[in-house]
Amino acid sequence: MRPTIAIAMPMLALAAGCILAGPAAAERLSNPVAEFTGVDKITGRIITFDVYVNETVQFGALQVTPRVCYSRPKEEEPQTDSFVEVDEITLDRKIRRIFTGWMFAESPGLNAVEHAVYDVWLKSCKQTSDVPAPEAPKTN
């Protein structure tokens, strides 16, 4: 073996091992609360509101329901996402689904709900909220 190849081979093996190992996969944390920001384009009102996972909150004519809300530990790079369903209550009182998909807090413009009157996007996922948790259904 030539000297340059003899030196290069161990370095290539080390580099391949680093690439195959890659960075440790960050643990996703499941959160019970999704925090959204909403804009009413008519009044210019901007509000932040909390919604518990699998619960629905009405913002203007929109009903927002997060199905999951994931974040990363504080020591990891931020990556916050939520699978969300948004329905619109039409003028004739029908409910029409206008959005189903993932929202990303670090990229709010990527999958925000852009409605003629209201915009809604994910701000964060949280473990607690000042809003009281919904009551569990009673069983008889």
Side-chain angles (χ1 to χ4, degrees), residues 61-64 84-90 95-101 112-116 118 120:
L62 302 182
Q63 294 181 332
V64 180
V84 183
E85 298 171 346
V86 179
D87 297 322
E88 175 188 31
I89 302 172
T90 63
I95 295 177
R96 178 176 62 122
R97 176 76 34 97
I98 62 169
F99 179 84
T100 301
V113 174
E114 295 179 11
H115 179 267
Y118 307 100
V120 175

Side-chain angles (χ1 to χ4, degrees), residues 10 27-28 36-37 40 53 71 82 102 105 113-114 137 140:
E27 178 185 346
R28 284 190 345 174
F36 293 93
T37 300
D40 181 328
V53 169
S71 61
S82 179
W102 290 95
V113 174
E114 295 179 11
N140 293 336

Side-chain angles (χ1 to χ4, degrees), residues 18-131:
C18 289
I19 290 170
L20 292 176
E27 178 185 346
R28 284 190 345 174
L29 303 175
S30 185
N31 298 279
V33 181
E35 182 179 25
F36 293 93
T37 300
V39 175
D40 181 328
K41 297 176 189 177
I42 304 293
T43 65
R45 184 179 76 159
I46 301 171
I47 68 163
T48 300
F49 56 97
D50 292 348
V51 186
Y52 284 87
V53 169
N54 292 319
E55 295 296 324
T56 301
V57 167
Q58 189 159 339
F59 172 66
L62 302 182
Q63 294 181 332
V64 180
T65 309
R67 296 298 177 189
V68 295
C69 203
Y70 296 122
S71 61
R72 303 284 174 146
K74 294 210 182 292
E75 59 275 358
E76 297 289 333
E77 181 179 336
Q79 216 172 9
T80 307
D81 51 6
S82 179
F83 190 82
V84 183
E85 298 171 346
V86 179
D87 297 322
E88 175 188 31
I89 302 172
T90 63
L91 293 175
D92 56 353
R93 297 182 188 225
K94 293 184 179 166
I95 295 177
R96 178 176 62 122
R97 176 76 34 97
I98 62 169
F99 179 84
T100 301
W102 290 95
M103 289 186 180
F104 306 96
E106 287 75 30
S107 301
L110 186 61
N111 280 358
V113 174
E114 295 179 11
H115 179 267
V117 179
Y118 307 100
D119 287 350
V120 175
W121 62 92
L122 178 67
K123 184 176 178 187
S124 69
C125 294
K126 309 189 304 188
Q127 288 294 319
T128 62
S129 174
D130 293 337
V131 176

